[in-house]
């Protein structure tokens, strides 16, 4: 698991990697770009959104959704390159919006950390559900800095990385998209999980900025593998459909949103299993 390949450098602030249609898509928050990256390192800028954060995911029909945190809305990327309003989040909270994951029915789960970061006073975060009809309602609260989210391959469970609680928290998903009672999916002692993804064997990878690594765990917390970087690991995604699956990690030196100089990279590691579930 230690062999790695740097596929792209010069990223300002990489986040929110998603495997889609044979390519790795990710957000460069610092450059306000959504980038699609080929396996050999070729890339193109597919959208520009003047926002920080600006996480992404895909609807079941392949449409790209972007969290425009600056404008407190979801926008949909059209084939002609335009960004169309999709859902207004401003009525729920004026605080920064963060990650997004979309289920197989087109329900989008979007979280907010609940306070201004960095520099703001801590307050608990929450998750809202955005239905395909455009309804927005809160479905979870009391989260200690909710970060990455994933839905299990069977579509029944939403997992949220609680960075300040050092754990991965799970909710059962109801037929109408509502979430059941919370439970601990896995403790991550000493680690602050950020972006996450699931694999076809039911394990989960989480990225940790401070410890500059990604860790593969089972439900319950058993550690199965670890890959290390020479800079903060912010989020990860797994390839699908490859004979040799790879774990893609976006990372950079963390010095706050205003840090100067593009230190971001996209790095690929061999993985024991391909991606599954969502994103």
């Amino acid at each position: 698991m230690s062999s790695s390949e740097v596929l792209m450098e010069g990223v300002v602030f990489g986040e929110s990697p998603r495997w889609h249609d044979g390519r790795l898509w990710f957000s460069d928050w610092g450059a306000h770009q959504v980038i699609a990256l080929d396996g050999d390192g070729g890339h193109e800028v597919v959208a520009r959104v003047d926002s920080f954060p600006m996480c992404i995911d895909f609807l079941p029909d392949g449409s790209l959704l972007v969290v425009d945190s600056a404008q407190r809305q979801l926008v949909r990327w059209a084939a002609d390159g335009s960004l169309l309003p999709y859902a207004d989040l401003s009525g729920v909270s004026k605080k920064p919006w963060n990650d997004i994951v979309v289920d197989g029915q087109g329900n989008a789960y979007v979280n907010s950390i609940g306070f201004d970061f960095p520099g703001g006073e801590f307050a608990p975060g929450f998750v809202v559900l955005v239905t395909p009809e455009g309804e927005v309602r809160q479905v979870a609260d009391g989260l200690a800095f909710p970060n990455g989210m994933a839905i299990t391959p069977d579509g029944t469970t939403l997992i949220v990385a609680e960075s300040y609680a050092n754990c991965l928290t799970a909710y059962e998903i109801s037929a109408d998209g509502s979430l059941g009672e919370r439970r601990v999916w896995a403790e991550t002692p000493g680690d602050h999980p950020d972006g996450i993804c699931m694999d076809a064997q039911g394990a989960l990878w989480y990225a940790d900025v401070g410890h500059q690594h990604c860790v593969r765990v089972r439900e319950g917390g058993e550690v199965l593998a670890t890959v290390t970087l020479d800079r903060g690991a912010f989020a990860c995604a797994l390839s699908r459909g490859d004979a040799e699956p790879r774990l893609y990690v976006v990372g950079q030196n963390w010095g706050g949103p205003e840090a100067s100089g593009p230190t971001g990279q996209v790095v690929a590691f061999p993985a024991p299993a391909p991606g599954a579930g969502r994103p």
Side-chain angles (χ1 to χ4, degrees):
M1 294 294 294
S2 61
S3 176
S4 63
E5 178 184 4
V6 176
L7 295 179
M8 184 175 177
E9 296 190 89
V11 178
V12 182
F13 195 106
E15 260 283 8
S16 195
R18 305 290 190 254
W19 184 260
H20 175 71
D21 199 21
R23 294 192 293 177
L24 182 79
W25 298 54
F26 69 96
S27 299
D28 186 340
W29 291 2
H32 308 299
Q33 298 174 343
V34 178
I35 298 169
L37 178 66
D38 297 328
D40 59 1
H43 68 277
E44 64 170 321
V45 176
V46 296
R48 300 178 186 272
V49 184
D50 188 13
S51 181
F52 189 110
M54 49 171 289
C55 288
I56 62 172
D57 202 13
F58 294 87
L59 291 167
D61 67 1
S63 299
L64 173 68
L65 289 184
V66 183
V67 179
D68 182 351
S69 183
Q71 300 300 319
R72 302 178 183 91
Q73 64 177 344
L74 289 185
V75 293
R76 181 174 63 84
W77 178 68
D80 64 1
S82 60
L83 292 166
L84 307 174
Y86 185 80
D88 182 10
L89 305 174
S90 63
V92 179
S93 176
K94 307 299 187 204
K95 296 302 182 182
W97 294 90
N98 193 17
D99 203 26
I100 179 173
V101 63
V102 182
D103 72 10
Q105 288 69 52
N107 292 311
Y109 296 90
V110 188
N111 66 35
S112 170
I113 64 174
F115 64 102
D116 294 322
F117 179 85
E121 183 178 352
F122 171 78
F126 54 88
V127 179
V128 300
L129 167 67
V130 180
T131 70
E133 296 74 33
E135 177 190 1
V136 181
R137 67 178 190 271
Q138 186 171 309
V139 290
D141 59 13
L143 293 159
F145 204 127
N147 238 316
M149 296 191 293
I151 296 173
T152 54
D154 61 9
T156 65
T157 305
L158 174 74
I159 301 174
V160 183
E162 287 194 77
S163 294
Y164 281 10
N166 310 103
C167 74
L168 303 162
T169 296
Y171 300 88
E172 297 304 311
I173 300 174
S174 302
D176 67 351
S178 299
L179 301 180
E181 293 186 9
R182 61 191 294 168
R183 61 183 173 84
V184 174
W185 194 86
E187 301 280 0
T188 62
D191 277 356
H192 304 284
D194 198 326
I196 63 175
C197 62
M198 298 207 71
D199 70 24
Q201 296 178 359
L204 180 147
W205 286 93
Y206 69 81
D208 180 88
V209 177
H211 291 106
Q212 301 182 341
H213 63 203
C214 287
V215 181
R216 184 177 184 241
V217 295
R218 292 193 193 279
E219 182 171 6
E222 179 189 0
V223 173
L224 303 174
T226 301
V227 298
T228 59
L229 285 77
D230 63 354
R231 63 203 69 198
F234 280 75
C236 51
L238 287 157
S239 64
R240 305 187 187 206
D242 294 344
E244 298 180 351
R246 295 204 282 180
L247 175 76
Y248 297 90
V249 185
V250 290
Q252 49 265 324
N253 295 326
W254 170 242
E258 305 304 323
S260 61
T263 65
Q265 293 181 333
V266 180
V267 184
F269 296 86
R278 292 177 180 267

